[in-house]
């Protein structure tokens, strides 16, 4: 046997890393839905063991998911207590809408002038999904389908950094507003917001830039869900 070959260490078998994040990501999705629906209320403190019992998992993925939400600003870690749901004002929501409009409005207007009608047509099922969720009064499902629709529009720009930033701002805009005056959006309000997507698509398909501009600006100024 060749000495060089004999000295070569045996090739190690492939290592399968444990899928540590699968449960955490499922918990993260569940927590985000609970935030949007108002099930987790602003100002309240929730312990990881309590939430783990609710979702039928161990406390570890709950803590990991909550730590991610803390980085996003959705919750605040409370030592030896758990996690406090962040409180936000209507002003916070208005500021988020303003920043989103500064990013999304000019991008959508630019796309309205350059994107072919058939590419806008491909977004119709996404708009229909927002309407279906709104008609059911399912706020968590509407929040998700709403983000999917907006993300699909912005992805037509080909700028993935822009898409990531806009999507994060959109997610933050969907967190609940605290205070006694804040009530969950009614199905009729969600449906009105969802209908704007369909109307906007019609204008985009038609290449009606003037109407597109009016609709996108109104979408951000008149809706808490956007």
């Amino acid at each position: 046997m060749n000495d060089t070959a004999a000295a070569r260490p045996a090739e190690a078998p492939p290592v399968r890393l444990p899928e540590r994040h699968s449960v955490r990501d499922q918990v993260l999705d569940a927590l985000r839905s609970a935030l949007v629906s108002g099930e987790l209320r602003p100002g309240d403190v929730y312990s990881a063991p309590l939430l783990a019992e609710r979702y039928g998992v161990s406390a570890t993925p709950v803590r990991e998911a909550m730590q991610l939400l803390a980085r996003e600003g959705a919750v605040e870690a409370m030592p030896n207590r758990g996690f406090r749901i962040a409180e936000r004002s209507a002003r916070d929501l208005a500021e988020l809408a303003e920043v989103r409009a500064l990013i999304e409005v000019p991008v959508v207007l630019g796309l309205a002038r350059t994107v072919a009608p058939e590419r806008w047509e491909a977004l119709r099922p996404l708009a229909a999904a927002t309407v279906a969720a709104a008609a059911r009064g399912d706020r968590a499902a509407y929040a998700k389908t709403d983000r999917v629709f907006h993300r699909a529009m912005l992805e037509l720009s080909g700028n993935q950094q822009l898409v990531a930033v806009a999507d994060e701002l959109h997610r933050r805009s969907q967190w609940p507003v605290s205070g006694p005056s804040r009530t969950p959006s009614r199905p009729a309000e969600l449906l009105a917001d969802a209908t704007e997507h369909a109307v906007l698509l019609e204008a985009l398909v038609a290449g009606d830039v003037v109407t597109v501009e009016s609709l996108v600006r109104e979408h951000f100024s008149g809706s808490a869900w956007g």
Side-chain angles (χ1 to χ4, degrees):
M1 180 181 292
N2 185 286
D3 290 342
T4 302
R8 186 183 300 128
E11 187 173 322
V15 177
R16 290 183 60 85
L17 295 176
E19 297 182 8
R20 292 186 63 252
H21 301 315
S22 59
V23 176
R24 182 205 66 185
D25 291 345
Q26 291 176 39
V27 172
L28 182 60
D29 285 343
L31 290 171
R32 282 175 168 158
S33 293
L35 276 169
V36 170
S37 68
E39 182 182 345
L40 298 181
R41 296 173 298 182
D44 286 0
V45 177
Y46 298 87
S47 70
L50 179 64
L51 291 172
E53 183 177 352
R54 175 184 297 185
Y55 295 119
V57 298
S58 69
T60 298
V62 173
R63 289 193 184 94
E64 292 177 347
M66 278 296 200
Q67 286 163 0
L68 289 174
L69 289 174
R71 292 176 197 169
E72 296 175 2
V75 303
E76 176 186 0
M78 307 290 288
N80 303 317
R81 293 184 61 195
F83 297 87
R84 179 176 176 271
I85 307 303
E87 296 184 85
R88 298 186 315 143
S89 66
R91 180 182 177 86
D92 293 327
L93 194 67
E95 289 176 352
L96 278 167
E98 182 179 357
V99 175
R100 287 186 61 212
L102 288 172
I103 294 174
E104 294 195 37
V105 170
V107 172
V108 174
L109 288 177
L111 293 173
R113 297 183 177 94
T114 58
V115 172
E118 58 269 21
R119 299 188 71 187
W120 292 119
E121 289 281 3
L123 272 60
R124 287 194 188 277
L126 303 182
T130 67
V131 173
R136 298 194 306 270
D138 188 336
R139 293 188 295 276
Y142 179 74
K144 183 175 292 187
T145 56
D146 184 35
R147 287 201 318 277
V148 169
F149 175 79
H150 278 259
R151 188 164 59 243
M153 281 202 304
L154 297 178
E155 282 175 344
L156 293 175
S157 71
N159 188 331
Q160 293 306 309
Q161 298 302 316
L162 179 146
V163 173
V165 170
D167 192 54
E168 177 61 22
L169 289 169
H170 196 165
R171 187 188 301 281
R172 290 172 181 259
S173 75
Q174 294 173 334
W175 296 338
V177 173
S178 54
S181 61
R182 173 61 178 169
T183 57
S185 298
R186 295 187 295 270
E189 294 172 327
L190 294 182
L191 192 56
D193 193 63
T195 301
E196 292 180 4
H197 294 155
V199 176
L200 174 60
L201 268 184
E202 292 294 342
L204 288 166
V205 170
D208 185 348
V209 179
V210 173
T211 300
V212 168
E213 181 172 11
S214 174
L215 289 170
V216 291
R217 292 191 185 282
E218 177 63 26
H219 196 60
F220 286 112
S221 65
S223 172
W225 289 86

